[in-house]
Amino acid sequence: MARGTTSLVRGPGASLWPWLAWAVIILIADQFTKTLILGFYRLGDATTITSFFNIVRAHNTGAAFSFLADAGGWQRWLFTGIGVAATVFIVWQLRAHPGQKLFCFALSSILGGAVGNVVDRLMHGYVVDFLQFHYAGWYFPAFNIADAAITVGAICLILDELLRVRNAR
């Protein structure tokens, strides 16, 4: 992934460490909330918070939206391997571009989320999900802090690329 050196979101003398610290903060928040859910809820238990939001304990052996959840177990190692590979790639990118603030914020958010879900897969064999939104009988699949961080990171990556292309003109 080639990154241009002319970016409005580049800072001088940038360091890798703040980005790794952000990823660790996400990882800690993710694992702390999952530990609370595992400690206080049984699988399938739910608490209604508002008319559109529940806290629910769900286990996801698949990927996003339970993709391959019923694949028989091999997917645990596939998704763990993808998470580990993504971690290596992201750290490499963070080292190469520590001054590109939006880009690194995006990558470190994805990093924290990816590691959080890899920890779940290694410890439990599934990812613990607990945030559930719904409306008029339609339920969005439950997710967690790691998933939210990955989503925010992906959105920020798209925004960073759009800004980079616009600034290159």
Side-chain angles (χ1 to χ4, degrees):
M1 177 183 294
R3 303 293 307 163
T5 57
T6 58
S7 173
L8 293 178
V9 291
R10 182 171 180 82
S15 169
L16 169 71
W17 297 110
W19 305 120
L20 293 180
W22 177 242
V24 168
I25 288 168
I26 291 170
L27 173 63
I28 290 168
D30 177 64
Q31 290 300 301
F32 177 72
T33 54
K34 290 173 179 174
T35 298
L36 289 175
I37 294 301
L38 290 171
F40 291 103
Y41 286 75
R42 290 179 302 205
L43 182 61
D45 284 353
T47 301
T48 300
I49 305 298
T50 69
S51 62
F52 60 88
F53 176 68
N54 300 332
I55 299 292
V56 62
R57 179 172 167 181
H59 297 170
N60 183 0
T61 57
F65 305 107
S66 296
F67 176 68
L68 293 177
D70 297 325
W74 60 267
Q75 73 277 20
R76 171 186 185 184
W77 304 110
L78 172 68
F79 296 135
T80 298
I82 290 169
V84 170
T87 297
V88 170
F89 178 75
I90 288 170
V91 170
W92 174 61
Q93 287 295 300
L94 289 172
R95 286 191 64 194
H97 310 286
Q100 295 181 11
K101 294 178 182 178
L102 183 58
F103 180 69
C104 289
F105 173 80
L107 287 182
S108 59
S109 296
I110 293 168
L111 176 62
V115 171
N117 284 341
V118 165
V119 167
D120 276 16
R121 289 183 196 290
L122 291 174
M123 286 179 48
H124 310 297
Y126 54 81
V127 173
V128 177
D129 290 328
F130 57 91
L131 302 170
Q132 182 183 58
F133 288 88
H134 57 90
Y135 177 74
W138 176 83
Y139 287 79
F140 190 80
F143 60 99
N144 56 47
I145 302 295
D147 298 334
I150 292 167
T151 300
V152 167
I155 291 167
C156 288
L157 272 181
I158 293 167
L159 178 60
D160 179 69
E161 184 63 14
L162 292 172
L163 291 171
R164 190 186 65 76
V165 167
R166 186 185 84 188
N167 292 334
R169 290 184 184 172

